Amino acid sequence: MNGPDDHKIDAWGFATRGPHSATDDTSRAPDPTTAPDHPPPAAAVPRPAPRPAPARPPAPHQDHDPQRTARAALTRILEPGDETAGRWLRQMGPVALWQALSDDDAHPPPGASPTKIAGLRLRASRARPEEDLAAVTALGGRFICPNDDEWPGQLDDLGDARPIGLWVRGRTNLRMWALRSVAVVGARACTEYGAHLATALSAGLADRGWTVVSGAAYGVDGAAHRGALAADGATVAVLASGVDYIYPRGHTELIGRIIEQGLVVAELPPGDHPTRSRFIQRNRVIAALTRGTVVVEAELRSGSLVTARRATSLGRFTMGMPGPVTSGLSAGVHQLLRGEATVVTDADEVIELVGAIGDLAPERRGPTLVRDLLDPVAARLWEALPARGSADAGHLGREAGIPRDVAHGKLLELQSLGFVQRCGDRWELTRRAEATDGSRRGGT
């Protein structure tokens, strides 16, 4: 969609001009209330001084790009995840497909049924892509398309179910954030246990530099976003509505915080509302966008399981956090864990799966007891002592298979460590052995 001269490269290796630039503020589309209709020529754009991070990815030059305008129109005409329409888009291109759907006299897409075409053309008659693009720009957002610099390439794994484009609100670059991202999903009606797990897990991921992606719903989704925000980390909310249609209404403040600190993403154009099928299709974007999906709580019939299984089909990691076996809200997770998912209990274990080589979770071990520090001969002799009563060194040596003089020396070691006590020429266990945490190991 762009010629070879559309981009300049800054000192950081990013494009500084053109419809896809993600790091240079000077390449943003001009404010329509103050700027001329056309952007300045490339030579007039000053080269920015290098800086560590962009304040905001630029809004693409949307007004004069027919491909982008056509894709914006198609997001209002076609339902998310429609693979038949995705095949038409791949075969015909966005401009030709939009024309075929908006012109009653045009040839319909190949293999399209009259009923489906009639419905799509009815929608097309109401499509106003320029208004939608202006609306998202007024919100400080943007519309990104495949092959844009900000487009996350992993979404292409969805094939013909790939989003037509994405409407985005937020200051940061979606592609960059998605490179190290994990989906945290689960039940809307979660328990306190589930909310605690989601919050702690997401805070841990965010603290380690990972982006937390979820759907901004009640329950686990909301807890996941809040955990990342509390850790001053990165979080992305993928909506089943337009980026200006807040749903659920009870999360108006939360979604506002995500827009300020993170990103809000949607396939649907501004003003569009969620439906049951759109929630299901939204889940495929969450699964494809991230490197792995963690299910915190889910019933046997749950949209979170749909997300997890879609992640598996796309070759992503699928993980689950177990709960009580008596809880119906953990039954779906446990079923997932019996199949394709991996048990995780915290952020370290998640990162061990989805991260780079060497990102290992710390080894999990129970407490070290004093008896664990005994050498093998002393341990065998200690185990030979009767639980009640006493025995002499000769008897204990025979029980442990140790010569009497060696047994006597080891008994003295055990005595110094507080494991045994002497009663004349006999030996017995002391009841305070396990309390001697500061004892040192005896020699061999």
Side-chain angles (χ1 to χ4, degrees):
M1 292 192 291
N2 305 290
D5 297 328
D6 283 351
H7 295 79
K8 300 291 183 181
I9 304 300
D10 68 11
W12 294 86
F14 291 101
T16 61
R17 182 179 181 274
H20 312 315
S21 175
T23 60
D24 179 10
D25 285 349
T26 63
S27 67
R28 293 176 55 193
D31 185 338
T33 63
T34 60
D37 292 337
H38 300 283
V45 179
R47 297 174 69 88
R51 57 181 182 270
R56 179 191 291 267
H61 298 295
Q62 299 167 342
D63 296 338
H64 307 292
D65 185 347
Q67 301 273 339
R68 189 177 303 279
T69 303
R71 284 185 177 273
L74 291 172
T75 63
R76 192 168 288 283
I77 298 168
L78 305 173
E79 279 297 308
D82 186 337
E83 294 192 51
T84 300
R87 185 177 69 252
W88 296 341
L89 180 60
R90 173 171 50 83
Q91 293 171 345
M92 301 173 64
V95 175
L97 179 57
W98 183 28
Q99 182 178 4
L101 296 178
S102 58
D103 186 350
D104 291 342
D105 297 326
H107 289 291
S113 69
T115 302
K116 183 165 187 171
I117 287 299
L120 293 178
R121 282 178 173 167
L122 183 62
R123 282 187 170 187
S125 67
R126 296 195 289 256
R128 302 290 185 270
E130 294 85 358
E131 294 179 9
D132 288 336
L133 291 169
V136 78
T137 300
L139 292 169
R142 55 205 178 274
F143 179 63
I144 63 173
C145 301
N147 299 321
D148 283 357
D149 284 351
E150 197 182 350
W151 183 262
Q154 57 267 44
L155 292 178
D156 299 344
D157 293 346
L158 291 168
D160 289 336
R162 180 181 70 171
I164 299 165
L166 290 175
W167 304 85
V168 182
R169 292 180 70 184
R171 296 184 175 89
T172 51
N173 186 294
L174 176 60
R175 182 176 69 86
M176 294 298 183
W177 272 21
L179 292 175
R180 284 167 54 90
S181 63
V182 175
V184 179
V185 297
R188 284 177 172 82
C190 69
T191 64
E192 290 185 9
Y193 166 81
H196 170 74
L197 286 183
T199 303
L201 173 65
S202 299
L205 290 169
D207 191 55
R208 289 159 178 79
W210 285 78
T211 302
V212 175
V213 179
S214 198
Y218 289 132
V220 167
D221 287 17
H225 291 305
R226 290 188 182 93
L229 292 170
D232 198 25
T235 188
V236 176
V238 183
L239 305 184
S241 60
V243 291
D244 60 340
Y245 190 103
I246 303 302
Y247 186 88
R249 294 297 182 188
H251 277 176
T252 299
E253 181 181 356
L254 174 61
I255 293 175
R257 290 179 60 202
I258 296 172
I259 292 170
E260 288 298 315
Q261 187 171 322
L263 290 171
V264 170
V265 177
E267 294 182 78
L268 296 162
D272 233 342
H273 63 280
T275 63
R276 183 179 297 274
S277 64
R278 289 172 175 179
F279 282 115
I280 296 298
Q281 293 300 329
R282 180 271 309 272
N283 293 344
R284 85 191 195 289
V285 177
I286 294 175
L289 190 64
T290 54
R291 300 191 63 168
T293 294
V294 183
V295 183
V296 176
E297 281 188 323
E299 295 181 294
L300 291 171
R301 182 183 174 94
S302 168
S304 301
L305 299 184
V306 174
T307 308
R309 288 174 178 137
R310 193 60 180 264
T312 299
S313 70
L314 291 168
R316 311 295 197 260
F317 293 98
T318 307
M319 296 154 279
M321 302 190 82
V325 295
T326 54
S327 172
L329 282 170
S330 291
V333 181
H334 296 160
Q335 184 185 60
L336 203 64
L337 292 173
R338 285 172 58 84
E340 61 270 32
T342 302
V343 173
V344 292
T345 60
D346 59 17
D348 288 328
E349 293 178 354
V350 173
I351 294 170
E352 183 177 64
L353 281 176
V354 303
I357 295 174
D359 288 337
L360 300 178
E363 185 180 357
R364 313 288 178 171
R365 298 188 61 180
T368 299
L369 302 177
V370 178
R371 63 172 177 267
D372 297 331
L373 305 178
L374 295 175
D375 67 77
V377 176
R380 197 161 68 246
L381 184 65
W382 178 69
E383 290 172 354
L385 281 153
R388 295 185 181 279
S390 60
D392 60 40
H395 173 78
L396 293 173
R398 289 192 299 272
E399 290 293 318
I402 303 171
R404 189 180 188 285
D405 56 339
V406 175
H408 182 73
K410 289 297 178 184
L411 285 167
L412 293 175
E413 287 184 17
L414 291 171
Q415 183 183 29
S416 68
L417 293 171
F419 282 90
V420 300
Q421 59 189 14
R422 191 168 188 171
C423 302
D425 60 352
R426 301 176 70 83
W427 298 86
E428 64 182 12
L429 292 172
T430 178
R431 298 304 171 192
R432 53 190 181 86
E434 292 301 333
T436 357
D437 294 334
S439 302
R440 300 171 60 89
R441 177 181 174 179
T444 57

